[in-house]
């Protein structure tokens, strides 16, 4: 014991080993947590993508844009009439160009990642699984099928 104490080993060595073990354990735990977080994020994104497909989101966006494009000229005419103005003759052409730009910029392939990210950051994996279960159920499929007529008032 006396020699170990004088040579700097003994009590000090086990302390160094404990410190090294703590550091190694913390690094291992951190790497597992970070890796696990990435796997969880990937799972959540995959679940969000599945949910959006079950919700028919691409078709819903496409139909909404088509309805907006179709109804916009009448809305502009109504607004102009309400303000006591006559729309300029180039208004229909300008409206068409604006709607073409919107339709192009809001295509599903351009906004899909934004929607997936929004759903993945808003809902937990468990919540997404619950929603997916609903949309896969007969009631969920009926909801998707009847959603558009409900919004249109039919």
């Amino acid at each position: 014991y006396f020699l170990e104490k004088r040579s700097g080993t003994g009590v000090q060595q086990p302390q160094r080993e404990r410190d090294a073990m703590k550091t190694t354990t913390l690094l291992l735990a951190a790497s597992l947590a970070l890796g696990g977080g990435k796997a969880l994020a990937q799972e959540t994104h995959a679940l969000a993508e599945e949910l959006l497909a079950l919700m028919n989101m691409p078709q819903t966006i496409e139909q909404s844009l088509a309805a907006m494009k179709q109804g916009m000229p009448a809305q502009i005419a109504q607004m102009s009439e309400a303000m006591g103005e006559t729309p300029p003759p180039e208004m229909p052409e300008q409206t068409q160009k604006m709607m073409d730009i919107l339709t192009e910029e809001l295509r599903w392939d351009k906004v899909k990642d934004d929607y997936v990210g929004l759903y993945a950051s808003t809902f937990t994996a468990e919540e997404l699984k619950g929603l997916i279960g609903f949309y896969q159920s007969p009631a969920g499929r009926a909801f998707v099928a009847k959603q558009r007529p409900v919004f249109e008032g039919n």
Side-chain angles (χ1 to χ4, degrees):
Y1 173 76
F2 179 76
L3 289 175
E4 287 179 357
K5 189 86 163 155
R6 291 192 74 201
S7 66
T9 59
V11 175
Q12 291 179 349
Q13 184 63 32
Q15 182 62 43
R16 269 192 241 133
E17 288 175 7
R18 281 195 298 267
D19 289 346
M21 184 66 92
K22 283 181 187 176
T23 302
T24 303
T25 303
L26 287 173
L27 288 173
L28 180 60
S31 68
L32 287 174
L34 292 175
K38 185 176 181 181
L40 183 60
Q42 288 172 341
E43 177 191 19
T44 305
H45 272 74
L47 290 168
E49 196 168 340
E50 182 180 353
L51 175 63
L52 291 166
L54 288 168
M55 294 171 65
N56 286 338
M57 193 58 73
Q59 296 85 352
T60 300
I61 288 175
E62 185 179 307
Q63 291 169 351
S64 296
L65 287 171
M68 189 168 52
K69 190 174 183 177
Q70 182 180 2
M72 189 63 71
Q75 288 179 349
I76 290 173
Q78 280 180 329
M79 287 173 26
S80 296
E81 186 179 311
M83 294 181 348
E85 299 176 1
T86 303
E90 65 274 3
M91 183 61 80
E93 183 181 334
Q94 289 175 348
T95 302
Q96 181 65 39
K97 285 180 183 178
M98 178 185 71
M99 291 309 302
D100 288 343
I101 291 169
L102 276 175
T103 301
E104 176 62 25
E105 291 304 312
L106 297 176
R107 281 190 352 238
W108 179 245
D109 62 325
K110 288 189 174 187
V111 298
K112 177 183 175 184
D113 290 342
D114 294 330
Y115 272 81
V116 169
L118 178 64
Y119 275 70
S121 65
T122 302
F123 298 102
T124 66
E126 288 306 310
E127 291 168 335
L128 288 166
K129 288 175 186 176
L131 289 166
I132 287 167
F134 168 72
Y135 279 99
Q136 288 174 333
S137 73
R141 288 192 301 274
F143 178 78
V144 170
K146 297 174 182 178
Q147 190 173 6
R148 182 154 174 85
V150 166
F151 285 129
E152 291 176 350
N154 296 332

